[in-house]
Amino acid sequence: MTVYPQTTEAPDADWWRGAVIYQIYPRSYQDSNGDGVGDLKGITARLPHIAALGADAIWISPFFPSPMKDFGYDVSNYVDVDPMFGTLSDFDSLISEAHRLKIKVMIDLVISHSSDQHAWFIESRSSRVNPKSDWYVWADAKPDGTPPNNWLSIFGGSAWAWDPTRMQYYLHNFLTSQPDLNLHNPEVQDALLEVVRFWLKRGVDGFRLDTINFYFHDKELRSNPSLAPERRNASTAPAVNPYNFQEHIYDKNRPENIEFLKRFRAVLNEFPAIAAVGEVGDSQRGLEIVGEYTSGGDKMQMCYAFEFLAPDPLTPERVVEVQHAFAAAAPEGWACWAFSNHDVVRHVSRWGSDVIDREGFAKLLASILLTQRGSVCIYQGEELGLTEADIAFADLQDPYGIQFWPEFKGRDGCRTPMVWDDHATHAGFSGAEKTWLPIPVEHQLRAVNVQQGDENSVMEHYRRFLAFRKQHPAFAKGDIEFLPVDGAVLRYVRKLGNEVVLCLFNMSGDESTTELPSGDWSLLEGHGFACEVTERSVTLPAWGASFARHA
């Protein structure tokens, strides 16, 4: 195992605060061996693209050994690399190259559940008396043979599966092949924390924690209460899923998680400058849970909920509402915002189905995201302005989409391969005869080589705006103060020390004029937007923006 020595220069323990993190879905980034699936060597070869973009870190979705029932989020070995993606040596090379390019590396930890092919579960299910019999959540049937309670799986149906060997049910919040680990057992916690140490010793700079609020269940296995229809929303599960009909107070969000997160943070603190971001999936208490998990400086550095990943249209009022709600629920916390990821419809399609100027729309959304208070996650292909791919049912891979088709088409539409070269086979992603998911023609036309050097392209806007962001520290680490929304114009001020930056965004397809706040303002340049300014007002074109510094 390669353990990278520490440099003599003291690392920045606060690097994560305001960092721009680029998410890589390894199956779809770059195929280096011609099997139609992306891999670690492919990621390493494409790191210069990420460095040129200006991202501070990468987050790599799971690459561990897995039967791939949920495409890596069902882990069968936490301390190795699936042969599909390469070897541990390939991972070491990736770390080395990323660090050479000054890019931090975060990896996805999926520890609320494992694959049913993990050695731990194979042993656990073998009997009721083996050493790991209590490493997963087992329960007897009710007298009539039905599951112990009413808990539901996010992927549909009961969250309980019957095992004929133990003659008991086991809990699975996701697929039946993803049994939930029993973190009430201290041995399980210890084993998982050793996994954390393994990757930290290997040189990773941090983690993204999948489904962080699912770690613990109610020991008494009490049934969840029903949720009134008017309180339901589709932020964490599609509207067609009856999972939304319950208030999830017993199958997740348990108070015992706080102490485990403290143990987790203590392990991070054994190494210099390590950070973690948690995924909080809850439709009613998401921001409140984020506040709990990021308070006190002894748990998570940052978390994200699903407010900006939900279907709700992005309006000036919505941006203000979410940021105010976060500030109220998590006054000590730090958010990590994203508009897209591997689980949701790409935001250009999710919010812009009726937008004519998709280019301008994509640029404006990028600029709003990159000036919010918090850290930022960019999902691969977002910088190209990629839309959601329309995948035929015959080509679907995602079990979630297959289960709820056609009302919910699953997550494959945002997981299609990255497009690098519009003239190459499979847009430069792979030389295979067939890729694991098809690549839409409209994506190929937006390949990296097409946009490279075109100052009007979405990709060059991302590069330009990320450079602009780095020139103004207030964007990364400053406070945010919202001014009253003016029609379609979102207005706020970012402040850090003596730097005060006014941000104005026209979130409409029509020209808008807004008044400047009182004070002496000078327009900033280098962000790529143009506007007309009179003495006290700014006229913004459709999907336009303007930035000014207080003198």
Side-chain angles (χ1 to χ4, degrees):
M1 179 172 70
T2 303
V3 179
Y4 294 98
Q6 302 300 321
T7 62
T8 54
E9 181 182 350
D12 177 12
D14 205 37
W15 66 265
W16 52 271
R17 192 180 295 274
V20 175
I21 304 164
Y22 185 98
Q23 183 195 354
I24 296 173
Y25 194 69
R27 294 181 70 89
S28 294
Y29 205 59
Q30 179 66 59
D31 171 19
S32 72
N33 62 3
D35 64 356
V37 179
D39 46 51
L40 295 181
K41 283 185 176 179
I43 294 172
T44 303
R46 294 297 188 181
L47 287 173
H49 168 74
I50 299 166
L53 196 66
D56 302 297
I58 56 174
W59 144 33
I60 310 174
S61 289
F63 50 82
F64 315 106
S66 166
M68 299 294 164
K69 298 291 182 60
D70 192 23
F71 300 103
Y73 284 89
D74 48 330
V75 179
S76 57
N77 183 349
Y78 286 108
V79 290
D80 205 349
V81 173
D82 193 286
M84 175 186 296
F85 298 125
T87 65
L88 281 170
S89 177
D90 293 336
F91 181 77
D92 294 339
S93 298
L94 188 160
I95 287 272
S96 180
E97 177 65 3
H99 287 172
R100 186 187 72 80
L101 293 170
K102 309 300 183 186
I103 298 171
K104 305 283 188 182
V105 178
M106 307 176 80
I107 65 173
D108 219 323
L109 278 185
V110 191
I111 58 176
S112 69
H113 53 270
S114 75
S115 165
D116 60 359
Q117 296 183 30
H118 197 293
W120 296 347
F121 186 71
I122 292 171
E123 182 175 353
S124 185
R125 79 186 315 176
S126 67
S127 72
R128 297 193 186 192
V129 294
N130 66 80
K132 290 185 172 57
S133 61
D134 192 40
W135 278 42
Y136 291 81
V137 184
W138 295 96
D140 292 328
K142 288 182 179 178
D144 63 358
T146 56
N149 60 33
N150 70 347
W151 296 351
L152 296 174
S153 163
I154 278 193
F155 285 165
S158 172
W160 296 97
W162 179 253
D163 182 77
T165 301
R166 287 185 53 140
M167 292 287 287
Q168 284 183 307
Y169 284 98
Y170 66 85
L171 179 66
H172 62 91
N173 275 299
F174 299 92
L175 295 175
T176 55
S177 58
Q178 293 171 296
D180 275 62
L181 284 153
N182 179 21
L183 272 79
H184 288 290
N185 185 333
E187 291 182 358
V188 174
Q189 293 190 27
D190 292 344
L192 293 173
L193 293 177
E194 282 307 305
V195 169
V196 173
R197 288 191 179 92
F198 174 88
W199 292 106
L200 288 172
K201 290 175 181 177
R202 208 142 204 122
V204 303
D205 302 288
F207 302 95
R208 180 263 189 182
L209 296 185
D210 185 67
T211 59
I212 190 175
N213 55 315
F214 284 76
Y215 289 173
F216 285 83
H217 65 284
D218 175 45
K219 274 189 171 182
E220 298 177 37
L221 302 183
R222 287 171 283 187
S223 285
N224 286 325
S226 60
L227 187 67
E230 62 270 18
R231 294 183 60 209
R232 297 174 192 168
N233 66 70
S235 64
T236 56
V240 295
N241 191 341
Y243 186 85
N244 294 320
F245 294 10
Q246 293 184 359
E247 186 153 19
H248 295 275
I249 59 177
Y250 293 123
D251 54 347
K252 62 182 182 181
N253 307 331
R254 302 302 299 160
E256 295 93 334
N257 204 21
I258 298 295
E259 290 307 312
F260 174 71
L261 294 180
K262 289 180 180 178
R263 291 195 67 195
F264 177 87
R265 178 64 176 269
V267 173
L268 299 192
N269 291 343
E270 295 172 10
F271 298 78
I274 304 300
V277 54
E279 175 199 30
V280 174
D282 189 76
S283 296
Q284 279 69 50
R285 294 185 56 239
L287 290 177
E288 182 182 337
I289 294 166
V290 168
E292 293 172 357
Y293 291 2
T294 57
S295 65
D298 58 354
K299 295 176 283 295
M300 301 302 293
Q301 281 91 350
M302 49 187 171
C303 283
Y304 71 88
F306 283 70
E307 276 67 21
F308 286 144
L309 295 169
D312 310 66
L314 194 72
T315 63
E317 291 81 6
R318 178 65 175 161
V319 175
V320 175
E321 173 194 353
V322 169
Q323 282 283 11
H324 281 167
F326 180 86
E332 299 178 38
W334 190 260
C336 186
W337 301 113
F339 286 172
S340 286
N341 69 15
H342 64 290
D343 280 335
V344 300
V345 173
R346 287 187 177 273
H347 65 262
V348 171
S349 294
R350 193 168 78 244
W351 293 329
S353 59
D354 298 328
V355 172
I356 297 174
D357 180 10
R358 289 285 184 93
E359 300 279 308
F361 185 61
K363 294 175 188 177
L364 182 78
L365 293 179
S367 308
I368 293 172
L369 177 64
L370 290 166
T371 54
Q372 293 299 296
R373 183 179 188 271
S375 301
V376 173
C377 273
I378 294 171
Y379 179 51
Q380 65 181 54
E382 173 184 331
E383 76 274 24
L384 305 179
L386 295 189
T387 53
E388 183 80 354
D390 187 14
I391 307 296
F393 184 78
D395 292 324
L396 276 192
Q397 303 291 325
D398 183 15
Y400 204 0
I402 294 169
Q403 171 77 7
F404 288 104
W405 177 278
E407 285 76 14
F408 173 64
K409 296 184 178 182
R411 302 164 296 179
D412 289 333
C414 67
R415 297 177 174 183
T416 54
M418 184 73 172
V419 284
W420 300 100
D421 185 340
D422 68 323
H423 295 304
T425 302
H426 301 308
F429 164 71
S430 173
E433 182 177 339
K434 184 179 180 180
T435 56
W436 81 282
L437 280 174
I439 301 173
V441 172
E442 61 268 26
H443 283 197
Q444 193 151 339
L445 298 175
R446 304 191 63 79
V448 169
N449 75 308
V450 174
Q451 300 195 39
Q452 179 94 26
D454 178 357
E455 290 302 308
N456 294 317
S457 71
V458 174
M459 187 181 80
E460 291 296 349
H461 177 79
Y462 269 80
R463 289 180 174 180
R464 182 170 54 240
F465 205 90
L466 278 165
F468 175 66
R469 174 187 169 91
K470 288 184 177 180
Q471 293 167 8
H472 301 283
F475 289 141
K477 300 184 190 298
D479 294 328
I480 191 167
E481 178 184 324
F482 286 92
L483 305 177
V485 170
D486 185 7
V489 181
L490 171 66
R491 311 188 305 166
Y492 49 84
V493 173
R494 300 300 311 276
K495 299 179 180 180
L496 183 67
N498 293 326
E499 184 180 45
V500 180
V501 179
L502 172 67
C503 306
L504 304 173
F505 301 96
N506 177 15
M507 298 180 70
S508 80
D510 298 311
E511 182 180 276
S512 295
T513 299
T514 186
E515 295 296 312
L516 284 169
S518 61
D520 187 8
W521 299 95
S522 58
L523 290 184
L524 294 173
E525 297 181 347
H527 45 73
F529 290 99
C531 64
E532 294 182 12
V533 183
T534 62
E535 186 175 345
R536 296 306 313 165
S537 67
V538 177
T539 299
L540 303 169
W543 312 117
S546 182
F547 304 88
R549 174 184 280 159
H550 195 272

